[in-house]
């Protein structure tokens, strides 16, 4: 199966593409998401393989928006998995999932139309990863994550609390 086939499948929607990949034997959700993201990126940048000197799949504004929308849906799915891991006390897993979602949300934020939603997700994800880092007693990482939230929303109560808690643990109450 070529990237062109996957890119064409994207027109049927993200769920159909994910199911298609699962039928092909790509069992891990993360691997399917990476393949879909790669197809979106290849399509968006015009780097799809060519046949007979012509691109086999034509990029247009709606398909570019679809890729960003698909990526944001993936971010939300990863975030939900992170939330479940956090609630279950699997803080390492939660932090890793939130980190993956942050990287994907940053990618999605490059699309002008997706930027507002991606920004909201990034605030939430950084706040969540700060909470996971607190549980893991990774104080510097918690401060950095909470500070990322506060750069966008200077009065975010959870981020202020999490950064303050981490600073107290490091003996920096007035940093």
């Amino acid at each position: 199966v070529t990237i062109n086939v996957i890119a064409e499948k994207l027109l049927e929607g993200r769920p159909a593409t994910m199911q298609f990949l699962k039928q092909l034997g790509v069992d891990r959700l993360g691997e399917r998401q990476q393949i879909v993201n790669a197809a979106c990126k290849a399509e968006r940048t015009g780097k799809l393989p060519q046949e007979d000197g012509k691109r086999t799949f034509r990029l247009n504004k709606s398909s570019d928006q679809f890729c960003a929308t698909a990526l944001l849906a993936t971010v939300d799915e990863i975030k939900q998995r992170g939330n479940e891991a956090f609630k279950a006390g699997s803080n390492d897993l939660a932090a890793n999932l939130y980190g993956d979602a942050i990287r994907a949300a940053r990618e999605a934020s490059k699309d002008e139309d997706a930027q507002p939603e991606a920004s909201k997700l990034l605030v939430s994800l950084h706040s969540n990863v700060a909470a996971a880092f607190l549980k893991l007693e990774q104080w510097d990482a918690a401060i950095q994550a909470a500070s990322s939230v506060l750069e966008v929303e200077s009065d975010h109560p959870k981020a202020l609390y999490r950064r303050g808690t981490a600073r107290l643990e490091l003996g920096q109450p007035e940093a």
Side-chain angles (χ1 to χ4, degrees):
V1 175
T2 67
I3 196 83
N4 286 350
V5 172
I6 295 166
E8 288 176 12
K9 198 72 172 168
L10 282 170
L11 291 177
E12 295 176 27
R14 186 177 176 282
T17 307
M18 297 292 274
Q19 184 61 34
F20 173 70
L21 290 169
K22 190 172 186 175
Q23 290 170 351
L24 291 175
V26 182
D27 294 324
R28 293 188 58 230
L29 176 63
E31 290 174 0
R32 290 194 304 270
Q33 291 167 338
Q34 286 178 344
I35 292 168
V36 168
N37 293 345
C40 284
K41 186 174 182 178
E43 175 197 8
R44 184 172 53 247
T45 60
K47 294 182 179 175
L48 287 172
Q50 299 187 6
E51 292 178 12
D52 300 328
K54 296 180 183 176
R55 283 184 43 204
T56 58
F57 187 76
R58 185 77 183 142
L59 174 67
N60 59 42
K61 183 66 174 168
S62 63
S63 62
D64 193 35
Q65 288 171 339
F66 176 81
C67 286
T69 302
L71 189 53
L72 287 173
T74 299
V75 169
D76 196 50
E77 283 180 25
I78 298 170
K79 178 186 171 194
Q80 295 310 317
R81 289 177 54 212
N83 291 347
E84 292 167 11
F86 185 80
K87 288 176 187 173
S90 299
N91 299 308
D92 274 330
L93 176 59
N96 287 331
L97 288 167
Y98 293 140
D100 290 345
I102 287 167
R103 284 185 287 283
R106 284 184 183 145
E107 180 66 29
S109 72
K110 293 175 184 176
D111 181 274
E112 185 179 310
D113 295 324
Q115 205 282 325
E117 186 177 347
S119 288
K120 288 178 191 174
L121 277 168
L122 282 166
V123 166
S124 176
L125 289 164
H126 280 289
S127 180
N128 290 359
V129 80
F133 286 142
L134 284 178
K135 294 280 188 180
L136 293 167
E137 299 182 0
Q138 295 180 13
W139 313 124
D140 289 327
I143 290 170
Q144 184 178 5
S147 294
S148 292
V149 173
L150 295 169
E151 287 175 11
V152 179
E153 290 184 28
S154 61
D155 61 346
H156 192 280
K158 289 181 180 179
L160 288 166
Y161 171 79
R162 291 171 182 156
R163 185 172 72 178
T165 300
R167 284 181 172 169
L168 282 173
E169 290 293 336
L170 290 173
Q172 305 170 355
E174 296 187 33

